[in-house]
Amino acid sequence: MRQGSMKVLIQLTSILLCTFAVTARRLAVNPTFDVRSYGANADGVTDNSQAFLGAWKAACSSIGDVKLLIPPGNYFLNPVKFYGPCPNVSTLTVYQEGVITASTDLSLYQSGNDWIEFGYVEGLRLTGGGTFDGQGSVSWSYDQCPVEKYCNVLPTSVIFVHLNDTIVYGMRSINPKFFHIAVLQCQNFKAMAIHIEAPEDSPNTDGIHIERSSDVTIHDAIISTGDDCISIGQGNTNVLISRINCGPGHGISIGSLGKYPNEEDVRNVVVKDSKISNTMNGVRIKTWQNSPSSSSVADITFENILMSNVQNPIIIDQTYCPDKLCDGDLVPSRVSISDVYFKAINGTSASQVAVTLNCSPGIPCQNITLQDILLNYVGGKPSSAFCAYANARFFAPMLPLPCN
């Protein structure tokens, strides 16, 4: 063989070896873990808890940008916790194309346990457009929370707890036993293109509940359920909610707050560019009367929201006590509310009282601003506003007319 041909052959061999090495490295650093490889069976009957956990543990123990694949099919799953830490993983993508179906046997859900939990991970990604089916209709008759203040709650479908740098995209949740989604003690959490659905009369089926979290963004969600579309509980800061299509349900709420001792404050929440239709409430702040300790809500903005046939389009309710569950005398709420802005909220009210500012006589609301509010009562009469213990300012245009 000529010397020139030998050099070309050596160069080609080197290129092929380098290409093979790069490909192998990519496969090693960015591996995919298919739940079927760990024994998952998409027959809708077989319990896949151990198979899913096996795939999760392998992915969590891997390196780099990792994918856990849940292919199309119906995967039955008993309660399971997908916990970290995953020290060498940069991002862990759960790519869910299939339907995951919950057990209806409540004895499997021990006290404090929910259905699916993702916890103690950095860089979690949940995507793929799959569905979580909580099969809640069998359990709703056992929900005692509407009649017991300190009730044993049913399992939430999907909980995200103690996560940092999380993205949820395209998730679908139907018929949970309790909440659809809960975000607890998370930082830098983003959820988008979410579809949530349960019957209008399903009890306590909040769409997304957020608590003790910071830097949370939720946008472009379609939520129709039996309770709050989104509920923002205690201890949250820097929450942005936008482009939500809510209804039926109970609207978008901050609260309820003040039910338990030592609750943390709520700060800097923005709800904007959304549509709320055929709901019990529109945008709401609700605090329990007879709250056991002091806390505060401040720097809240509701802006550019379209209401359609909403029972209470704008409401602050500091005498929240559903089904008379408060104990003893009706002591005023100890949750202070200040610096709340309602701007560009238009549409129709299903009740004549379209604006309610019912604040605490013990700690009146401070600096409540309403501007560019146009809410027509569907009954044909002029809409009205009710105010109690509220330091409020009204700026035209304003319908209903301002209250004293």
Side-chain angles (χ1 to χ4, degrees):
M1 184 179 290
R2 294 181 179 179
Q3 187 174 3
S5 299
M6 180 64 73
K7 288 182 178 179
V8 171
L9 181 61
I10 292 171
Q11 289 174 346
L12 288 172
T13 302
S14 298
I15 291 171
L16 288 172
L17 287 172
C18 287
T19 302
F20 176 79
V22 169
T23 302
R25 192 179 301 114
R26 284 176 177 171
L27 289 173
V29 174
N30 304 304
T32 296
F33 299 87
D34 189 329
V35 294
R36 295 173 300 184
S37 300
Y38 295 82
N41 187 345
D43 61 3
V45 177
T46 304
D47 176 28
N48 290 287
S49 304
Q50 294 307 310
F52 274 49
L53 275 176
W56 172 268
K57 289 177 181 177
C60 186
S61 301
S62 190
I63 301 171
D65 298 313
V66 179
K67 179 187 286 187
L68 190 156
L69 178 62
I70 305 171
N74 191 332
Y75 300 87
F76 182 83
L77 204 65
N78 283 328
V80 65
K81 291 179 170 63
F82 299 111
Y83 279 2
C86 307
N88 299 313
V89 171
S90 302
T91 60
L92 200 166
T93 298
V94 177
Y95 196 86
Q96 178 200 351
E97 297 175 293
V99 176
I100 301 178
T101 303
S103 171
T104 59
D105 183 358
L106 291 179
S107 69
L108 297 173
Y109 302 87
Q110 300 300 318
S111 178
N113 282 353
D114 294 285
W115 178 29
I116 295 174
E117 294 186 29
F118 295 96
Y120 309 95
V121 178
E122 297 221 3
L124 176 70
R125 310 288 185 256
L126 175 59
T127 185
T131 298
F132 294 90
D133 183 357
Q135 296 206 99
S137 60
V138 178
S139 306
W140 292 331
S141 62
Y142 298 102
D143 183 6
Q144 297 301 309
C145 291
V147 295
E148 294 182 14
K149 184 176 181 180
Y150 302 107
C151 57
N152 292 321
V153 300
L154 294 173
T156 292
S157 278
V158 182
I159 288 188
F160 301 95
V161 59
H162 279 289
L163 301 177
N164 184 35
D165 182 25
T166 305
I167 297 175
V168 178
Y169 181 86
M171 172 183 169
R172 184 167 183 256
S173 172
I174 61 174
N175 298 329
K177 296 173 178 63
F178 198 64
F179 293 173
H180 289 264
I181 299 169
V183 180
L184 308 178
Q185 295 178 288
C186 292
Q187 289 76 45
N188 302 306
F189 184 97
K190 295 180 176 64
M192 60 208 79
I194 307 299
H195 191 172
I196 287 172
E197 186 175 348
E200 185 176 0
D201 60 353
S202 56
N204 287 300
T205 52
D206 288 32
I208 304 173
H209 178 73
I210 309 165
E211 192 163 309
R212 289 169 290 162
S213 297
S214 62
D215 301 305
V216 175
T217 301
I218 298 171
H219 63 85
D220 296 289
I222 299 173
I223 304 174
S224 57
T225 193
D227 210 297
D228 293 330
C229 292
I230 297 175
S231 56
I232 300 165
Q234 56 124 338
N236 291 301
T237 58
N238 301 329
V239 177
L240 174 60
I241 310 294
S242 65
R243 298 194 296 274
I244 307 299
N245 194 328
C246 166
H250 291 186
I252 298 175
S253 296
I254 295 176
S256 60
L257 303 173
K259 183 177 182 180
Y260 301 104
N262 305 314
E263 289 188 1
E264 298 176 21
D265 298 339
V266 176
R267 288 280 188 279
N268 193 23
V269 175
V270 176
V271 178
K272 66 176 186 176
D273 305 334
S274 297
K275 181 178 181 180
I276 302 177
S277 306
N278 303 309
T279 55
M280 183 180 294
N281 304 287
V283 289
R284 172 171 60 159
I285 302 175
K286 54 178 176 175
T287 75
W288 284 78
Q289 57 189 14
N290 199 20
S291 45
S293 58
S294 299
S295 61
S296 66
V297 179
D299 300 316
I300 310 297
T301 299
F302 301 103
E303 183 173 10
N304 192 29
I305 298 172
L306 178 63
M307 304 285 180
S308 178
N309 196 42
V310 173
Q311 192 74 22
N312 300 293
I314 295 174
I315 178 169
I316 296 176
D317 180 8
Q318 293 208 260
T319 60
Y320 183 71
C321 184
D323 295 298
K324 300 179 180 179
L325 297 179
C326 294
D327 303 320
D329 296 330
L330 301 183
V331 178
S333 175
R334 297 175 64 190
V335 180
S336 68
I337 297 175
S338 63
D339 302 314
V340 181
Y341 302 89
F342 299 97
K343 301 178 182 178
I345 299 178
N346 305 315
T348 57
S349 173
S351 61
Q352 190 168 1
V353 180
V355 173
T356 298
L357 307 178
N358 187 20
C359 298
S360 171
I363 312 175
C365 297
Q366 299 297 321
N367 194 25
I368 310 299
T369 302
L370 294 92
Q371 181 176 359
D372 191 12
I373 309 296
L374 295 172
L375 294 168
N376 289 288
Y377 172 43
V378 295
K381 297 178 181 180
S383 59
S384 61
F386 170 81
C387 301
Y389 306 103
N391 179 359
R393 301 179 300 166
F394 301 85
F395 296 93
M398 182 72 204
L399 183 70
L401 294 176
C403 52
N404 294 324

